[in-house]
């Protein structure tokens, strides 16, 4: 069907006519009711025409011609647009012929002038408009929940950081900082070389004689090892501390 001028193909009925006499035509007017009013102004018509059904399509005149051809056998006169058939049959023929080209559809067969069915595209548009406020409301709730969640996580991070700082403040490492220098030195074997010599002198001479070779070797090993250490002073103190503990075992 050619998409030319937009118009309506309608089904009209006049109460003055017999029941199954209907008019099938087309109009380019904004509504089929305007065409019905125009036809009702003729002096030869005692009562006004009523719109029973109409569809809005592009190429309304082409659609009208095809419908007339399909219902030709029920035409009241070959040069008139009146047909002796039921309204339901006329509606069925128009719908089948128009197919998916229908833009708007008006079905007033029940006598309800407000009855109006829009095509699926229009329905979807209206549905989106109706649902739009709900979607915006739901979107706002989601954003608010996300903000609350972010604030909650941030608060938990702050609390966790504070707890960690308190634990660090109470840890043995920090407690050791309050110890005196001699206490820390004893804990880390931070013993000067003089203590090794003093402890050595406390050992009985006869025992020192048996340990002399071992003591000399220890001194040499300490020098060789600590000479390669990054912190020689700390290295020597550790060796001294271990040696003092060892030599104390020989004091009688």
């Amino acid at each position: 069907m050619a998409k030319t001028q937009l118009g309506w193909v309608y089904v009209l009925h006049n109460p003055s006519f017999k029941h199954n006499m209907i008019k099938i035509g087309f109009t380019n007017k904004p509504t089929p009711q305007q065409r019905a009013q125009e036809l009702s102004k003729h002096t030869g018509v005692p009562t006004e025409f009523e719109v029973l059904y109409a569809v809005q399509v592009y190429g309304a005149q082409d659609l009208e011609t095809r419908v007339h051809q399909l219902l030709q056998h029920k035409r009241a006169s070959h040069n008139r647009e009146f047909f002796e058939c039921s309204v339901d049959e006329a509606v069925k023929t128009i719908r089948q012929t128009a197919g998916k080209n229908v833009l708007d559809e008006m079905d007033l067969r029940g006598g309800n002038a407000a009855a109006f069915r829009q095509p699926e595209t229009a329905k979807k548009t209206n549905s989106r408009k109706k649902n739009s406020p709900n979607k915006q409301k739901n979107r706002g709730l989601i954003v608010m929940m996300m903000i609350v969640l972010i604030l909650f996580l941030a608060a938990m991070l702050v609390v966790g950081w504070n707890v960690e700082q308190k634990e660090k403040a109470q840890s043995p490492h920090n407690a050791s900082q309050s110890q005196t220098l001699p206490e820390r030195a004893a804990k880390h074997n931070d013993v000067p070389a003089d203590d090794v010599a003093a402890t050595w002198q406390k050992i009985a001479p006869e025992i020192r004689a048996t340990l002399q070779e071992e003591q000399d070797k220890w001194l040499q090993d300490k020098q060789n090892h600590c000479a390669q250490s990054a912190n020689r002073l700390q290295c020597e103190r550790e060796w001294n501390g271990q040696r003092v503990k060892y030599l104390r075992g020989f004091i009688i």
Side-chain angles (χ1 to χ4, degrees):
M1 186 179 300
K3 286 190 175 181
T4 55
Q5 190 174 4
L6 182 66
W8 292 88
V9 173
Y10 55 78
V11 177
L12 303 183
H13 178 261
N14 194 301
S16 300
F17 299 162
K18 55 184 179 180
H19 179 69
N20 62 341
M21 181 67 70
I22 58 176
K23 174 177 171 57
I24 302 175
F26 93 95
T27 180
N28 293 327
K29 295 183 180 300
T31 66
Q33 283 82 358
Q34 291 177 323
R35 175 57 176 163
Q37 292 174 1
E38 184 180 56
L39 293 173
S40 299
K41 292 179 181 179
H42 294 295
T43 57
V45 181
T47 55
E48 294 183 352
F49 280 95
E50 299 174 350
V51 179
L52 300 181
Y53 180 79
V55 291
Q56 188 180 43
V57 296
Y58 282 103
Q61 188 172 10
D62 292 341
L63 175 60
E64 178 208 46
T65 300
R66 295 181 61 185
V67 172
H68 286 180
Q69 291 173 351
L70 292 172
L71 297 176
Q72 183 65 29
H73 59 290
K74 296 192 175 183
R75 200 162 190 163
S77 177
H78 71 280
N79 60 347
R80 304 296 299 273
E81 294 180 344
F82 290 94
F83 297 82
E84 294 186 32
C85 71
S86 67
V87 177
D88 291 344
E89 183 179 0
V91 170
K92 181 179 179 181
T93 303
I94 294 172
R95 281 178 173 172
Q96 290 178 346
T97 307
K100 297 181 179 180
N101 297 314
V102 176
L103 300 177
D104 285 343
E105 183 179 31
M106 188 180 298
D107 192 344
L108 306 177
R109 284 175 288 177
N112 182 8
F116 181 79
R117 186 185 70 82
Q118 294 176 319
E120 293 301 320
T121 53
K123 282 185 176 180
K124 291 179 181 178
T125 302
N126 290 337
S127 177
R128 285 195 295 268
K129 290 181 180 179
K130 291 179 181 179
N131 294 331
S132 180
N134 293 331
K135 288 184 178 179
Q136 292 178 356
K137 183 178 180 180
N138 293 336
R139 191 179 296 112
L141 290 175
I142 292 173
V143 172
M144 185 177 297
M145 291 176 63
M146 291 180 64
I147 293 174
V148 172
L149 179 60
I150 291 172
L151 292 176
F152 174 77
L153 292 176
M156 293 299 295
L157 288 174
V158 172
V159 171
W161 183 83
N162 290 334
V163 172
E164 183 180 357
Q165 294 302 313
K166 289 181 180 179
E167 290 178 349
K168 286 183 178 180
Q170 298 174 359
S171 65
H173 173 72
N174 292 328
S176 66
Q177 294 180 354
S178 62
Q179 295 176 342
T180 63
L181 183 61
E183 290 174 338
R184 293 203 307 272
K187 182 176 180 180
H188 297 286
N189 296 323
D190 194 4
V191 181
D194 293 345
D195 287 354
V196 177
T199 305
W200 175 259
Q201 293 299 325
K202 292 179 182 180
I203 300 174
E206 60 274 15
I207 297 177
R208 288 204 307 268
T210 61
L211 295 174
Q212 187 62 56
E213 184 178 354
E214 178 186 338
Q215 182 70 2
D216 293 340
K217 184 178 184 304
W218 174 82
L219 288 171
Q220 186 63 41
D221 290 343
K222 182 183 75 170
Q223 291 178 359
N224 293 337
H225 181 81
C226 292
Q228 301 175 1
S229 175
N231 191 339
R232 181 170 182 172
L233 181 60
Q234 181 65 27
C235 176
E236 290 182 351
R237 286 175 175 174
E238 291 178 356
W239 275 65
N240 292 340
Q242 294 173 1
R243 192 62 180 175
V244 167
K245 290 181 181 180
Y246 175 75
L247 293 177
R248 284 174 181 171
F250 295 96
I251 298 175
I252 300 175

